[in-house]
Amino acid sequence: MRNIKLTIEYEGKDYNGWQKQPNKLNIQGEIERAIQIVTGQEVELIGSGRTDAGVHAFAQVANFKIESDFPIEKIATAINSQLKKSIRVLKAQEVPLEFHSRYHCHKKTYGYIIENSEQGTAIYRNNTFHVSQPLDVEKMQQAANYLIGEHDFSSFKSSGTSSKSSVRTIYQAQVLKEQTRVIIMLTGNGFLYNMVRIIAGTLVEIGLGHMEPEEMKKILEAKNRQKAGKTLAAQGLFLMNVEYEEK
């Protein structure tokens, strides 16, 4: 038995999220199908976590176990040959049998990309969220600083969250400006359902001057979804990186 770890990039526009679902196009199911074609074996692909419909990933991590002597250096190319161009396996590695993509995940980084220009963008319209009015990035960063640390993020979760606890730790919260783009980067030990998209929506309200940065602290303390901003569209959200502790 071998345990294979994959690093995967995908554009989520045409998919109903990561998780395998009957009669719906999804990332997990497409990769499992490709692996079966290549190896002749049915596998269960375990992801580091689910991404919702329309959400993208630069470096999702997943693993599967297989009884096959298929050369590790050829696995990524072989799987990609059976996938649409919107999904790419960037790397395949053989890892210890006990490795589990989800349970052993230590940190995740998500990025939310905003196109902050008057007319928006044609080329990147499916990968950014458009805000036409100028955003005050400095105020957005001031607000984001309140998110760092361990908090109850109940104000930033959508109904339907399955997690028993709303307590999460944010290690880093950055708001960056790159040409016409404003990028919100959050690194944490885990994220609630729609948490990043709601935080992004709240930061946009602050960037537009509808709220002051100090309101972020009050919203956290309220533990009330109604106090936070709206949930921004899925197309601006990217899973940027997944980190594992070195053994």
Side-chain angles (χ1 to χ4, degrees):
M1 183 68 72
R2 302 165 71 196
N3 194 9
I4 309 299
K5 174 186 174 185
L6 303 179
T7 303
I8 307 157
E9 178 181 300
Y10 51 85
E11 182 183 54
K13 179 175 71 73
D14 297 326
Y15 298 91
N16 200 64
W18 167 268
Q19 187 178 17
K20 187 165 56 178
Q21 302 171 63
N23 304 317
K24 290 185 178 180
L25 191 64
N26 57 83
I27 309 294
Q28 179 188 13
E30 286 298 289
I31 298 174
E32 286 183 356
R33 178 191 59 79
I35 293 169
Q36 185 171 9
I37 292 171
V38 167
T39 67
Q41 295 184 40
E42 189 173 334
V43 303
E44 179 188 4
L45 187 66
I46 301 167
S48 70
R50 304 171 186 175
T51 52
D52 295 332
V55 176
H56 320 289
F58 282 116
Q60 170 71 285
V61 174
N63 73 288
F64 65 94
K65 292 182 179 179
I66 194 168
E67 292 183 2
S68 169
D69 58 0
F70 201 103
I72 189 67
E73 66 273 11
K74 295 182 179 180
I75 286 180
T77 300
I79 295 173
N80 285 335
S81 72
Q82 303 300 322
L83 290 170
K84 296 180 179 181
K85 297 297 185 183
S86 51
I87 307 175
R88 292 291 89 184
V89 174
L90 303 179
K91 183 166 60 174
Q93 302 165 267
E94 194 153 352
V95 292
L97 286 175
E98 62 269 21
F99 174 82
H100 193 287
S101 294
R102 183 167 72 253
Y103 296 153
H104 295 163
C105 173
H106 179 54
K107 293 180 183 178
K108 288 183 183 178
T109 299
Y110 278 93
Y112 196 91
I113 304 178
I114 299 165
E115 172 62 30
N116 189 209
S117 60
E118 185 177 358
Q119 303 303 333
T121 171
I123 301 299
Y124 299 107
R125 68 190 184 281
N126 295 317
N127 307 109
T128 57
F129 178 75
H130 180 222
V131 176
S132 59
Q133 296 172 279
L135 292 169
D136 189 326
V137 174
E138 186 176 335
K139 284 190 174 182
M140 292 171 73
Q141 181 63 67
Q142 290 171 16
N145 290 338
Y146 288 107
L147 301 171
I148 297 172
E150 183 180 85
H151 304 286
D152 184 327
F153 284 93
S154 294
S155 292
F156 300 98
K157 69 176 183 181
S158 291
S159 59
T161 298
S162 58
S163 304
K164 293 180 180 179
S165 172
S166 297
V167 175
R168 297 290 186 274
T169 301
I170 297 295
Y171 302 108
Q172 192 171 35
Q174 293 180 293
V175 183
L176 311 170
K177 183 72 181 286
E178 294 183 1
Q179 297 180 332
T180 61
R181 293 183 176 185
V182 174
I183 305 169
I184 299 164
M185 299 283 285
L186 299 172
T187 299
N189 64 353
F191 294 87
L192 302 166
Y193 181 46
N194 283 341
M195 178 173 158
V196 178
R197 290 163 61 187
I198 297 169
I199 288 174
T202 307
L203 289 172
V204 165
E205 290 296 304
I206 291 165
L208 291 172
H210 299 162
M211 289 191 284
E212 290 302 313
E214 294 74 22
E215 286 294 308
M216 185 66 85
K217 184 174 186 292
K218 295 177 182 178
I219 294 168
L220 268 172
E221 292 170 348
K223 302 174 188 175
N224 181 346
R225 171 67 187 92
Q226 301 305 313
K227 300 294 184 181
K230 66 180 181 180
T231 306
L232 295 192
Q235 78 239 25
L237 183 60
F238 290 78
L239 175 58
M240 310 293 286
N241 190 35
V242 183
E243 298 178 52
Y244 295 88
E245 287 187 292
E246 295 185 6
K247 299 293 184 181

